[in-house]
Amino acid sequence: MPKRLSKRLLTIASFVPKGAYLADVGSDHAWLPIHLVETGKIEWAQAIDNKVGPFMRMKENVAKSGAANHILCSLSDGITLLSQGVDTLAVCGMGGLLSCEILESHPEKLVNVSTIIMDPHRDLIAVRKRVSELGFHIEEEAMVYEDKVYYTIIKFVRGFPERPYTNNELAFGPYLLKHGEAIFDEWLSVQKNKVSKLLNAPNLPKERRDAYLAAYRAIAGQIQLRLENKDK
């Protein structure tokens, strides 16, 4: 068995459908596919990394695990060498724009993919918008606080959204807006304080001030709305 998974990886693992053929892009140590195969949630996986060091590390970890015959290790740029049978992608541990570029660079590789799981470190608006434009919609989201970082995990499934996501849904997450728990409220408060500090910076250009002010009002509006809903 691999070392105990972090809360972030455990949440990602919970989003993987049972019996899926998973490709873990940017797999690094390959802890996620090893855990999923060894616990019996999935039978087959592909671990992908584009750097020689992490690739050698994951090959060694897979070889030492009880999943050695069930995980294909690939030294590949993104999904270039994606196995044909893969139906679930985990594109995690990287920036949002890079995650989108990986998917958009080879749309033909997504034909058999029905689930995409992502935890973009930034650019969440772009991720929700661009992945939905590829023909996927958000089924579930979760927020995890670990090592002083708030992680947003998003599960996309095949099929365009019934309607385009609103600006608030792109910014905060359609699922989190409806089902977000206490940690989501904490995150909103942290974001409000961050934007407030940016607004108080000296000599701020008008264009940037207007953008920060719009963000501040949107966050404050969501906080107020959630407080009102709790009082009902």
Side-chain angles (χ1 to χ4, degrees):
M1 286 289 288
K3 68 174 184 177
R4 180 175 174 80
L5 293 189
S6 65
K7 286 195 293 184
R8 179 182 70 89
L9 282 178
L10 282 172
T11 303
I12 293 168
S14 74
F15 279 10
V16 175
K18 185 172 177 59
Y21 185 171
L22 171 75
D24 184 25
V25 182
S27 193
D28 197 7
H29 293 84
W31 295 137
L32 177 65
I34 291 172
H35 167 83
L36 288 166
V37 171
E38 288 192 340
T39 56
K41 188 170 187 181
I42 66 175
E43 187 175 0
W44 305 103
Q46 182 180 13
I48 301 171
D49 213 289
N50 68 343
K51 296 181 178 65
V52 174
F55 171 71
M56 297 303 295
R57 187 163 55 233
M58 74 184 186
K59 276 195 74 174
E60 182 179 352
N61 289 339
V62 168
K64 291 178 179 178
S65 74
N69 295 326
H70 292 258
I71 299 176
L72 170 66
C73 295
S74 300
L75 180 60
S76 167
D77 185 15
I79 58 174
T80 304
L81 299 180
L82 191 70
S83 294
Q84 190 172 2
V86 166
D87 55 39
T88 300
L89 290 179
V91 188
C92 300
M94 62 189 78
L97 297 183
L98 175 58
S99 301
C100 291
E101 289 167 6
I102 287 172
L103 299 175
E104 293 167 346
S105 63
H106 293 284
E108 74 282 0
K109 297 287 187 178
L110 302 178
V111 172
N112 296 322
V113 173
S114 56
T115 303
I116 301 174
I117 302 161
M118 307 172 77
D119 70 337
H121 292 176
R122 53 193 172 273
D123 300 308
L124 285 154
I125 292 175
V127 168
R128 292 185 176 109
K129 183 175 187 297
R130 288 166 66 171
V131 178
S132 68
E133 289 172 348
L134 288 172
F136 294 82
H137 65 276
I138 296 169
E139 182 179 79
E140 192 173 358
E141 297 174 297
M143 190 164 280
V144 172
Y145 184 70
E146 189 170 52
D147 298 329
K148 299 182 179 180
V149 176
Y150 289 93
Y151 294 98
T152 301
I153 295 104
I154 309 172
K155 180 180 181 179
F156 294 90
V157 297
R158 173 68 66 182
F160 286 100
E162 293 182 356
R163 54 167 178 75
Y165 292 121
T166 66
N167 288 338
N168 278 341
E169 288 173 332
L170 291 173
F172 305 112
Y175 187 93
L176 289 172
L177 286 174
K178 291 182 179 179
H179 308 289
E181 300 179 353
I183 188 172
F184 181 56
D185 294 318
E186 293 173 15
W187 177 80
L188 285 171
S189 180
V190 168
Q191 298 309 304
K192 181 183 175 184
N193 290 336
K194 283 183 178 179
V195 177
S196 179
K197 289 179 181 179
L198 292 172
L199 277 169
N200 290 326
N203 304 318
L204 193 64
K206 182 181 183 303
E207 183 177 339
R208 190 168 295 180
R209 177 176 295 280
D210 290 346
Y212 289 155
L213 185 58
Y216 182 88
R217 287 172 174 167
I219 296 167
Q222 289 303 320
I223 291 173
Q224 182 61 35
L225 183 61
R226 290 176 68 81
L227 286 172
E228 291 172 358
N229 289 337
K230 287 179 182 178
D231 292 337
K232 290 181 181 179

